[in-house]
Amino acid sequence: MKSSFRQTEILDIAQREGKVTVEGLAAHFDVTVQTIRRDLSELDEARHLNRVHGGAVLASGTSNVAYGERREFLAEEKAAMARHCAAQIPNDCAVFLNIGTSTEAVAAELLAHKGLLVVTNNMNVAHTLDRNPDCEVIVTGGTLRRGDGGLIGAMTVDAIRRFKFDYAVMGCSALDAGGDVLDFDIQEVGVSQAIIAQARVPLLVADHSKFQRNAPGRICSLADIHTLVTDRPLTPALASACREWETNVLVAEPSAP
C-alpha cells in the first residue's frame, strides 16, 4: 500500500477512535513500526495528527477542519443524531438553526415538519429548508464566511436578539471533559451565546469526535443546554454532571446495515 493511501486510512481510524498506536497500526497494515512512525511524523508535520508517546491523537488547536471534510465525516452518525434531534421539535413552532454540518443534517430531517418558522445564520440550512413549503425561512444577515456558508458578526447577533425561539439547534467544534462547549471562531462564539439567550429550549448536536478535540473559545456549559444529542455514551463523570445539571442526553447510534 502506498504511504498516501495508508496515511488516509490512518486519519480515518484516528477520527473514529480519537487516537492511534504505533503497534496497533503496524499490525493493522502488516508493516514495520518504523514505517508507521514515519507516517505519523509526516501527518504530524502536516498538522493532521499530534504525535504522542506510542502513537498519535487527533490534532487540536486554533483552527477547524475544512468544511468539505467535516461534511463527509461521520455522515451516518450525523444522520442518526439529526433524526433524534428533529423528533424533539414539534410542528408549529419557531426554531433557530446555526452553523455546522450537524445542524444541516437536522434541517434535512425537518423537511416534513409543518408550520415552522426557521431563523438561521447558515446559508446551507436556508437552501435545504426552501424545499419545505410549510416552513418560513428567515436569514439573519451578517458577514458571510465563505468556507461554510455561515453568517457571523454584530449584524447577526442584532438579528437574533429580535426573536424568542421555542427551540434552537446548535453545533460546536469541541466539548471538554468538564462539559464546556467550545468553538474555534470567536465571532461565532458570540453568535452562539446570543442564540442560547433567546431560546426556550437549546438543543446541542455533537458527535463523539467533539469530545476528543479542543478549541479556544468557550460558548457555554452543558448546564446551559436543555438536551445534548450525541452518538456515543458520555463518560460516567460527565453523564453524572449532566444529571445534576438536568441536561437531557440522547444517544443516537447509527442504524445497523
Side-chain angles (χ1 to χ4, degrees):
M1 179 184 290
K2 291 184 178 180
S3 62
S4 59
F5 294 136
R6 188 172 55 248
Q7 289 177 13
T8 298
E9 189 171 347
I10 288 171
L11 278 176
D12 288 340
I13 295 170
Q15 288 170 335
R16 288 197 304 271
E17 305 299 332
K19 63 180 180 180
V20 290
T21 66
V22 171
E23 297 289 345
L25 290 175
H28 177 80
F29 292 106
D30 194 23
V31 296
T32 65
V33 293
Q34 289 80 7
T35 296
I36 294 300
R37 289 193 181 106
R38 283 195 298 271
D39 285 335
L40 296 183
S41 294
E42 291 175 11
L43 289 168
D44 181 84
E45 290 174 3
R47 299 184 179 179
H48 293 308
L49 294 177
N50 289 334
R51 288 284 270 124
V52 296
H53 180 70
V57 297
L58 282 176
S60 61
T62 59
S63 60
N64 205 352
V65 179
Y67 172 75
E69 295 178 32
R70 285 186 281 130
R71 194 168 192 177
E72 298 299 323
F73 182 49
L74 296 177
E76 292 183 7
E77 287 82 354
K78 288 176 183 174
M81 292 188 300
R83 287 191 294 272
H84 277 66
C85 183
Q88 307 305 305
I89 300 172
N91 294 323
D92 302 306
C93 67
V95 185
F96 192 98
L97 279 80
N98 83 337
I99 303 170
T101 56
S102 295
T103 54
E104 290 169 21
V106 174
E109 293 294 328
L110 294 176
L111 288 174
H113 277 56
K114 299 183 182 299
L116 292 184
L117 169 65
V118 172
V119 184
T120 185
N121 64 329
N122 186 331
M123 298 296 291
N124 302 312
V125 164
H127 286 306
T128 295
L129 288 173
D130 182 56
R131 305 201 305 271
N132 182 348
D134 289 309
C135 176
E136 181 179 354
V137 180
I138 297 174
V139 179
T140 60
T143 301
L144 176 64
R145 199 167 65 184
R146 288 183 174 85
D148 60 4
L151 298 167
I152 55 176
M155 185 181 296
T156 308
V157 172
D158 288 344
I160 291 167
R161 288 174 176 163
R162 295 173 181 266
F163 295 90
K164 190 70 178 180
F165 310 106
D166 297 307
Y167 297 85
V169 180
M170 303 172 53
C172 67
S173 295
L175 276 160
D176 72 12
D180 279 342
V181 183
L182 309 170
D183 211 296
F184 290 101
D185 190 323
I186 300 304
Q187 288 194 79
E188 189 174 348
V189 167
V191 171
S192 297
Q193 289 172 341
I195 295 166
I196 293 170
Q198 301 305 113
R200 296 183 177 90
V201 181
L203 309 172
L204 178 67
V205 184
D207 64 71
H208 68 275
S209 71
K210 304 300 174 68
F211 292 91
Q212 299 153 354
R213 305 176 70 192
N214 193 16
R218 183 183 185 275
I219 298 171
C220 66
S221 164
L222 284 176
D224 304 308
I225 299 297
H226 181 278
T227 299
L228 166 66
V229 184
T230 188
D231 63 327
R232 290 189 186 176
L234 304 184
T235 63
L238 188 53
S240 176
C242 285
R243 287 192 293 272
E244 182 178 338
W245 295 329
E246 298 184 349
T247 298
N248 299 322
V249 178
L250 299 179
V251 179
E253 297 182 359
S255 302

